[in-house]
C-alpha cells in the first residue's frame, strides 16, 4: 500500500505552501490580537482561544516578505503539535487558504540546498500537483519555539542545522 499524507495548502506572496493537515487544529478568519511589547515584527500578538493563549505569527513577515494589508481573504491557521507532549500551539497568518491535497510520500521531493542566504529550515520538501509546485513546510520547525522566534539570521541558521 502506498503511504500518503494530506496537506492543507495556502497562498503566501503568490506562492502555494502546504502544512500537514494532521497539525491543523482550525482555520479562522483574521481577527484582532492582543499585542505584546518588545516582540519581533512578525509576532502579531496573542489570542485567547477557548482558554488557551496562542501566539499569532505573520508567516509573510517571518519569511522576510513584504507585509500585506489584511482583508477578508486573510486567515489564521491554528497549528498544534500532535507529536509532542508539550502541546505547542501557534497561529500562522496567511494570505488565503487554498486546497487540501493528498501526496504519496515518494512523490515529495527534497528541497535543494540554497546556502546560508535562504532560511530553509522550515522547508520539508516540494510537491507538484496540476502543474504547479507546492512548497511543503516542516510542521516541527513551525511549531519549534527556538526556530520560530529566532530574532537574528545567524541564530536561525544554527537552529536549523
Amino acid at each position: 500500500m502506498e503511504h500518503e499524507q494530506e496537506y492543507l495548502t495556502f497562498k503566501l506572496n503568490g506562492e502555494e505552501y502546504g502544512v500537514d493537515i494532521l497539525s491543523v487544529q482550525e482555520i479562522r478568519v483574521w481577527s484582532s490580537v492582543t499585542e505584546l511589547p518588545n516582540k519581533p515584527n512578525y509576532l502579531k500578538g496573542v489570542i485567547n482561544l477557548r482558554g488557551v493563549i496562542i501566539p499569532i505569527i505573520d508567516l509573510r513577515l517571518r519569511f522576510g516578505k513584504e507585509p500585506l494589508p489584511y482583508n477578508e481573504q486573510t486567515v489564521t491557521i491554528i497549528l498544534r503539535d500532535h507529536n509532542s507532549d508539550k502541546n505547542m500551539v501557534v497561529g500562522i497568518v496567511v494570505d488565503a487558504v487554498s486546497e487540501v491535497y493528498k501526496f504519496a510520500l515518494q512523490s515529495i521531493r527534497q528541497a535543494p540546498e540554497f546556502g546560508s542566504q535562504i532560511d530553509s529550515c522550515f522547508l520539508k520538501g516540494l510537491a507538484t500537483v496540476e502543474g504547479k509546485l507546492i512548497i511543503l513546510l516542516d510542521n516541527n520547525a513551525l511549531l519549534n519555539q527556538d526556530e520560530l522566534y529566532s530574532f537574528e539570521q545567524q541564530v536561525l541558521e544554527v537552529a536549523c542545522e
Side-chain angles (χ1 to χ4, degrees):
M1 177 170 154
E2 192 173 329
H3 294 289
E4 295 179 324
Q5 194 167 3
E6 285 188 309
Y7 284 84
L8 172 70
T9 62
F10 56 87
K11 299 282 188 183
L12 194 69
N13 201 40
E15 299 292 335
E16 197 160 356
Y17 292 82
V19 290
D20 181 351
I21 200 157
L22 294 177
S23 293
V24 176
Q25 179 176 316
E26 65 184 83
I27 300 168
R28 302 170 51 86
V29 295
W30 169 253
S31 58
S32 61
V33 299
T34 302
E35 290 200 32
L36 302 172
N38 269 344
K39 62 176 181 52
N41 69 334
Y42 57 81
L43 178 58
K44 302 313 288 179
V46 295
I47 62 169
N48 183 340
L49 183 62
R50 294 183 288 283
V52 178
I53 303 301
I54 300 174
I56 304 298
I57 305 295
D58 187 319
L59 210 55
R60 189 181 256 277
L61 296 176
R62 181 65 187 90
F63 288 173
K65 307 292 183 196
E66 288 296 312
L68 189 70
Y70 296 162
N71 60 32
E72 64 278 351
Q73 297 289 308
T74 306
V75 295
T76 304
I77 301 171
I78 307 297
L79 298 175
R80 176 182 297 277
D81 187 352
H82 62 282
N83 292 323
S84 168
D85 37 345
K86 288 184 182 173
N87 218 11
M88 174 72 178
V89 181
V90 69
I92 56 172
V93 179
V94 301
D95 298 349
V97 168
S98 201
E99 304 273 343
V100 173
Y101 292 111
K102 190 180 289 190
F103 297 116
L105 293 182
Q106 69 261 22
S107 72
I108 297 173
R109 306 282 177 244
Q110 286 300 111
E113 291 295 322
F114 294 110
S116 62
Q117 295 305 308
I118 296 180
D119 176 6
S120 60
C121 72
F122 292 112
L123 298 181
K124 179 176 187 173
L126 302 165
T128 305
V129 63
E130 298 167 6
K132 60 186 170 187
L133 200 59
I134 297 178
I135 302 162
L136 303 178
L137 298 177
D138 183 340
N139 288 28
N140 293 331
L142 283 174
L143 289 161
N144 181 313
Q145 292 173 329
D146 295 332
E147 292 175 10
L148 196 60
Y149 302 128
S150 294
F151 285 93
E152 298 179 24
Q153 186 66 27
Q154 287 81 16
V155 173
L156 188 58
E157 288 169 10
V158 171
C160 295
E161 291 175 1

